[in-house]
Amino acid sequence: MSDSPADLDVWVAELADALGLETAEVPTGLLLDVTREAAHAIIRPAGPLTTYLVGIAVAQGMPVEEAVARTRAAIEARATASEVQS
């Protein structure tokens, strides 16, 4: 069962094919969540760039769950530092 709309799943499969990537299970909900968290906590353009960096980490062998956990920790650290400065 997918946690994303069918059209989004179709798009992900089409894009993976266009990029020459093997079809793999994409944790769409997890990636959308961390993208939203970065966009809201840092600055809106941080969302897609954050997801891109998570993808690079995964491509270099880090499990996606670990990459997202580290990203969330970095977002939290940034938010905490901003609160301290306020």
Side-chain angles (χ1 to χ4, degrees):
M1 177 172 216
S2 175
D3 59 354
S4 62
D7 288 345
L8 184 55
D9 291 336
V10 169
W11 166 245
V12 169
E14 288 174 0
L15 181 57
D17 185 54
L19 294 172
L21 303 172
E22 291 184 32
T23 302
E25 185 67 30
V26 176
T28 305
L30 181 64
L31 293 173
L32 290 175
D33 287 346
V34 76
T35 301
R36 181 186 66 247
E37 292 165 22
H40 289 278
I42 308 300
I43 186 171
R44 186 172 295 284
L49 296 173
T50 297
T51 307
Y52 176 76
L53 292 171
V54 167
I56 290 174
V58 171
Q60 293 179 351
M62 184 180 294
V64 68
E65 295 83 2
E66 182 179 347
V68 168
R70 288 185 184 199
T71 300
R72 285 180 166 151
I75 291 169
E76 181 63 30
R78 180 72 180 270
T80 301
S82 293
E83 290 173 7
V84 170
Q85 292 178 357
S86 297

